[in-house]
């Protein structure tokens, strides 16, 4: 569904970009209204609508109105043909704000304040240049003023939107299960060149150039979050040159030539399959394959939010060479020891990656045998809570295979009992307080493992 929404939104952005061809005002208006209703139904984030408003305001003020538009008597569609300079943009702005203006104000008041400042500055510049104001411009200014003062009322629709929202809430009660698409305007328009980060396993090259501003510990190209992590994965050979990726590798403190070449191979790939092929062409020796694992874990942890690309690539590598499985064992054991020094986002990303590898059987459950389940530090408890929440949220068949592996005779001695202790002491209170949706799979896990361990 997320991919469908993204492609529909991309198609809508095309005809609404100023300046449009002649006689396309109806198509543009309908596209803006459809995009507005996607936002109303929670399919796209308000940031995309605000980006559209900024572009339309800038385009409207960059084109002085014609005499016909300036002498019109009202702000309706008849007030100056949509072909008049700047009039189509004003028409689209009026339709958008009338449809979803109050909701935009509610979702992000600060962004609305920036829009008002932009409008006032551009309008003042146009007035200083002697440009006459059309009726539609005056209506738009009045609409903005009403929106600012919370007096603007959304257009009457007979309750159709409310009924659709109610139906969607019944279909998907948990909003976190279907989050709004937060792709930016340029990210959608240039998806063919830069990739689609919203598609799991796909590469993205859109923010690599902003990495230097994030600092050495700020991830791989996106704007830094509170913990200093990166927003999205930098990748894609088309938009990221090798020299830029090498510079980014240095910022990530990947000092050796081998690690830099591995980083470039991974981050310059189109997707995880391409990344695996690029790594194979490096001609690494067996001993050097451990460096691939170190770089993968570093990149995954440097992201501000978890990116499944790294787990998909890791699973593919583990399936191709046993050296990678052994290397992941030792690298993860080192990561377990260093949890107390790891930032929260790095710990959470690594935990989710580990859960994905366990569910895909890319790593055996013996990777957990070094964990001291009875004596976990605070950060270690957080790490394993995140990991097991991911495991519990997986399909029942995948979790069932993991439980069978934990209960198998060849499993490490005491591993099953340790997991039972952790589930009883740490997972059960967490699920009861904040993750009630995981209560059923947790009860099944404890039952199957034999949760009577004290």
């Amino acid at each position: 569904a997320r991919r469908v929404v993204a492609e529909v939104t991309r198609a809508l952005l095309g005809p609404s970009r100023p300046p449009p061809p002649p006689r396309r005002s109806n198509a543009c208006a309908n596209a803006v209204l459809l995009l507005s209703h996607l936002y109303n139904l929670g399919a796209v984030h308000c940031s995309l609508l605000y980006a559209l408003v900024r572009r339309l305001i800038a385009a409207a003020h960059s084109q002085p109105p014609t005499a016909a538009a300036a002498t019109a008597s009202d702000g309706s569609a008849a007030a100056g043909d949509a072909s008049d300079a700047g009039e189509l943009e004003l028409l689209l702005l009026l339709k958008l704000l009338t449809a979803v203006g109050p909701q935009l104000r509610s979702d992000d008041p600060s962004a609305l304040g920036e829009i008002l400042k932009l409008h006032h500055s551009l309008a003042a510049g146009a007035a200083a240049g002697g440009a006459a104001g059309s009726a539609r411009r005056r209506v738009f200014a009045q609409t903005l003023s009403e929106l600012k003062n919370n007096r603007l009322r959304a257009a009457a629709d007979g309750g159709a939107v409310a009924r659709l929202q109610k139906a969607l809430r019944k279909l998907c009660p948990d909003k976190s299960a279907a989050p709004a698409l937060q792709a930016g305007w340029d990210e959608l328009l240039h998806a063919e060149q830069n990739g689609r980060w919203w598609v799991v396993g796909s590469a993205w090259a859109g923010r690599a150039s902003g990495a230097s501003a994030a600092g050495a510990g700020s991830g791989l190209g996106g704007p830094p979050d509170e913990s200093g992590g990166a927003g999205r994965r930098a990748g894609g050979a088309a938009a990221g040159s090798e020299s830029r990726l090498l510079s980014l590798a240095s910022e990530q403190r990947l000092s050796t030539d081998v690690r830099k070449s591995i980083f470039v191979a991974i981050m310059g790939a189109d997707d995880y399959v391409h990344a695996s092929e690029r790594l194979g062409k490096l001609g690494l020796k067996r001993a050097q394959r451990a460096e691939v694992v170190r770089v993968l874990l570093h990149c995954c942890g440097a992201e501000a939010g978890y990116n499944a690309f790294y787990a998909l690539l890791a699973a593919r590598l583990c399936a191709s060479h046993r050296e990678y499985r052994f290397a992941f064992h030792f690298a993860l054991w080192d990561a377990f020891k260093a949890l107390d020094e790891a930032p929260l986002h790095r710990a959470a990303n690594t935990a989710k990656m580990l859960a994905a590898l366990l569910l895909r059987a890319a790593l055996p459950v013996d990777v957990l045998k070094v964990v001291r389940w009875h004596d976990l530090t605070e950060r270690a408890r957080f790490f394993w809570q995140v990991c097991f929440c991911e495991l519990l949220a997986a399909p029942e068949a995948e979790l069932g295979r993991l439980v069978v592996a934990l209960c198998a005779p060849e499993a490490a001695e005491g591993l099953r009992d340790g997991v039972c202790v952790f589930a009883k002491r740490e997972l059960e209170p967490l699920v009861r307080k904040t993750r009630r949706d995981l209560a059923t799979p947790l009860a099944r896990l404890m039952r199957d493992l034999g949760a009577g361990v004290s």
Side-chain angles (χ1 to χ4, degrees), residues 1-299:
R2 185 183 181 89
R3 188 168 186 174
V4 171
V5 168
E7 293 305 314
V8 170
T9 306
R10 282 189 63 225
L12 291 177
L13 294 186
S16 63
R17 280 181 292 169
R23 295 186 300 277
R24 290 186 62 187
S25 58
N26 289 340
C28 292
N30 290 337
V32 165
L33 285 175
L34 182 51
L35 185 61
S36 300
H37 289 309
L38 285 175
Y39 162 67
N40 245 341
L41 298 175
V44 298
H45 195 259
C46 66
S47 57
L48 185 65
L49 275 294
Y50 273 121
L52 175 58
V53 171
R54 291 189 191 95
R55 286 171 175 260
L56 290 175
I57 289 178
H61 286 291
S62 67
Q63 308 172 59
T66 62
T71 57
S73 59
D74 57 39
S76 64
D81 194 319
S83 62
D84 287 332
E87 289 297 294
L88 176 57
E89 287 78 9
L90 292 170
L91 173 64
L92 299 181
L93 283 165
L94 287 170
K95 286 188 175 294
L96 189 151
L97 294 181
T98 303
V100 295
Q103 186 62 38
L104 284 173
R105 183 184 189 277
S106 174
D107 284 350
D108 195 347
S110 61
L112 176 61
E114 296 175 4
I115 293 294
L116 290 167
K117 291 179 182 178
L118 173 64
H119 168 69
H120 292 321
S121 63
L122 292 176
S134 69
R136 189 177 278 135
R137 290 178 188 270
R138 293 192 292 272
V139 171
F140 172 64
Q142 181 182 353
T143 302
L144 269 184
S145 177
E146 291 177 353
L147 182 59
K148 173 187 175 183
N149 297 320
N150 201 22
R151 292 200 299 265
L152 181 66
R153 295 294 175 260
D157 58 6
V161 173
R163 289 194 295 271
L164 283 173
Q165 290 173 335
K166 185 177 180 180
L168 285 175
R169 283 194 294 269
K170 288 182 179 180
L171 288 173
C172 186
D174 184 9
K175 287 187 177 181
S176 62
L181 178 70
Q182 297 196 40
W185 181 280
D186 291 327
E187 295 164 3
L188 289 167
L189 290 181
H190 304 298
E192 295 297 336
Q193 294 81 16
N194 296 343
R196 297 166 170 81
W197 60 256
W198 53 89
V199 178
V200 173
S202 179
W204 190 52
R207 292 181 182 165
S209 60
S212 58
S218 64
L220 308 179
D225 66 350
E226 293 179 355
S227 58
R232 298 288 181 187
R233 186 176 71 85
S241 66
E242 184 173 339
S243 60
R244 186 178 63 186
L245 290 174
L246 286 171
S247 175
L248 183 56
S250 298
E251 292 178 14
Q252 294 295 314
R253 300 181 182 178
L254 303 175
S255 54
T256 67
D257 291 340
V258 173
R259 290 190 178 185
K260 287 181 180 179
S261 63
I262 292 169
F263 180 86
V264 171
I266 293 173
M267 309 310 286
D270 296 329
D271 54 30
Y272 72 95
V273 177
H274 189 210
S276 176
E277 294 171 352
R278 286 166 62 93
L279 287 171
K281 293 178 181 178
L282 292 179
L284 298 175
K285 300 176 182 178
R286 287 191 176 185
Q288 292 175 322
R289 288 174 180 168
E291 296 296 320
V292 175
V293 173
R294 300 285 178 180
V295 173
L296 256 181
L297 286 175
H298 173 85
C299 293

Side-chain angles (χ1 to χ4, degrees), residues 273-401:
V273 177
H274 189 210
S276 176
E277 294 171 352
R278 286 166 62 93
L279 287 171
K281 293 178 181 178
L282 292 179
L284 298 175
K285 300 176 182 178
R286 287 191 176 185
Q288 292 175 322
R289 288 174 180 168
E291 296 296 320
V292 175
V293 173
R294 300 285 178 180
V295 173
L296 256 181
L297 286 175
H298 173 85
C299 293
C300 180
E303 298 281 0
Y306 173 66
N307 191 334
F309 166 84
Y310 302 105
L312 293 170
L313 176 57
R316 187 177 180 87
L317 293 175
C318 289
S320 62
H321 297 287
R322 60 184 298 179
E323 288 87 357
Y324 285 118
R325 289 195 292 275
F326 287 123
F328 265 106
H329 270 76
F330 293 113
L332 286 169
W333 289 346
D334 289 342
F336 298 163
K337 296 175 184 176
L339 281 176
D340 288 344
E341 290 78 34
L344 277 177
H345 75 280
R346 180 175 292 276
N349 291 347
T350 307
K352 292 179 180 180
M353 183 179 183
L354 173 59
L357 294 176
L358 290 173
L359 289 169
R360 291 174 175 272
L363 293 178
V365 294
D366 279 355
V367 72
L368 309 179
K369 67 183 181 181
V370 300
V371 182
R372 300 173 60 186
W373 300 103
H374 296 77
D375 186 26
L376 295 174
T377 63
E378 182 179 354
R379 185 56 55 86
R381 284 198 299 272
F382 168 79
F383 177 91
W384 292 111
Q385 284 173 341
V386 172
C387 181
F388 273 87
C389 282
E390 290 292 308
L391 296 175
L392 293 174
E396 183 177 349
E398 294 184 7
L399 182 59
R401 288 194 295 270

